[in-house]
Amino acid sequence: MLKGSSCCQPSECWDYRSALLPTCCTCEPEESWSSAASTMDTTVGNGAGLRDESIANLLVFSFLHAHNNCNFHKELEALGQELPVGVCLEADHDDELQTDGNRASRLLYGGRREGDSENQEVIHSIACHLAEIGDELDRSIHPGLVSQLAMHFRNPSLSEEDRRHYLAAAVEKAMQTYATDMEQEKARLILAMLLVRKVADHTPSLLRGIFHTTVNFINQNLLTYMRDLIRNEMD
């Protein structure tokens, strides 16, 4: 299992305020990462149809569901009911209460248990594996990055494009501390979903907005890689 890099010391920390400046601001972020984030924002695959969006929805949702000890369980349950793929949580009453007071839950897809569909089972398996790696990378993400990203997502005047830009910038900054022996696309995918989890844990009410922005981000920048992951798993 790959290990995440340790968090930098305060004296070595990057300036997360400059890292999350809006695109319209007169003060521009550092060119080294801003240009990369801009490239990711404008890089679109061959188009993300409903099926691709559904895959990304399931992947991100399953990634979040794999982390039971969170502050956004109720928000996640409500989100699942809104998704077009019909993802929802079913309480497992045979299990004991978790440390946060919530009962363990299992995923239902379109009214069927997760094992009823091969594709859904594969996506769920991939998400759980990525979540395990995300747990190891968790401490490599600076708390300042999370709080600043949460602050921007609380701004109702931001467009979806601006939100996607902030997310891309945060992912690129987090990439500076990820495990060097991990392929970049895999690291970007995990870090993007990990940022969703950390922002939602920081401010649960932001889950819905950052979830949908991240799904759009994945479909625009990591669609081919996501498809390959699923294809390789099914082979």
Side-chain angles (χ1 to χ4, degrees):
M1 190 68 67
L2 298 174
K3 300 290 183 181
S5 302
S6 59
C7 181
C8 59
Q9 298 299 319
S11 61
E12 301 172 340
C13 286
W14 42 270
D15 185 354
Y16 56 80
R17 294 176 181 85
S18 64
L20 294 176
L21 287 172
T23 54
C24 58
C25 182
T26 55
C27 300
E28 304 228 350
E30 295 181 30
E31 183 178 355
S32 59
W33 63 266
S34 178
S35 58
S38 177
T39 299
M40 290 185 69
D41 274 343
T42 57
T43 302
V44 181
N46 295 326
L50 179 60
R51 184 172 181 274
D52 291 321
E53 182 180 357
S54 297
I55 291 173
N57 277 326
L58 289 174
L59 184 67
V60 180
F61 191 92
S62 297
F63 181 95
L64 297 174
H65 176 263
H67 189 71
N68 287 322
N69 189 18
C70 65
N71 296 324
F72 53 88
H73 181 84
K74 292 181 179 179
E75 289 77 9
L76 187 63
E77 182 177 4
L79 175 65
Q81 296 173 356
E82 297 177 9
L83 298 180
V85 288
V87 182
C88 62
L89 300 180
E90 179 187 67
D92 190 344
H93 298 287
D94 294 331
D95 289 347
E96 297 180 355
L97 287 174
Q98 300 176 71
T99 56
D100 61 357
N102 292 316
R103 288 193 179 276
S105 59
R106 51 194 171 194
L107 292 178
L108 292 174
Y109 299 107
R112 297 175 300 175
R113 295 189 184 279
E114 59 185 279
D116 291 344
S117 167
E118 181 181 4
N119 289 341
Q120 292 165 349
E121 185 178 4
V122 167
I123 294 170
H124 180 66
S125 175
I126 292 172
C128 289
H129 173 65
L130 296 179
E132 290 178 358
I133 301 176
D135 289 340
E136 299 182 0
L137 296 180
D138 186 275
R139 292 186 180 181
S140 69
I141 297 182
H142 194 278
L145 178 61
V146 177
S147 60
Q148 284 292 304
L149 191 57
M151 181 190 71
H152 290 302
F153 272 81
R154 285 196 299 267
N155 184 353
S157 64
L158 285 182
S159 66
E160 176 61 20
E161 181 180 358
D162 287 336
R163 292 185 179 192
R164 197 163 57 248
H165 170 81
Y166 283 125
L167 178 63
V171 169
E172 288 305 299
K173 183 51 64 176
M175 286 284 290
Q176 296 182 10
T177 56
Y178 84 106
T180 56
D181 55 343
M182 187 189 305
E183 55 185 318
Q184 289 197 356
E185 287 183 318
K186 182 176 184 178
R188 283 193 177 94
L189 179 60
I190 294 173
L191 290 171
M193 295 191 293
L194 185 56
L195 283 168
V196 177
R197 192 174 83 187
K198 293 181 76 67
V199 167
D201 216 35
H202 180 279
T203 311
S205 62
L206 297 178
L207 173 63
R208 185 177 183 274
I210 195 168
F211 177 91
H212 289 297
T213 296
T214 303
V215 167
N216 291 336
F217 171 83
I218 291 173
N219 280 330
Q220 287 198 355
N221 300 287
L222 299 166
L223 181 59
T224 300
Y225 179 75
M226 181 180 66
R227 288 170 174 168
D228 289 343
L229 270 181
I230 297 170
R231 185 181 302 111
N232 293 338
E233 186 73 13
M234 295 182 71
D235 286 344

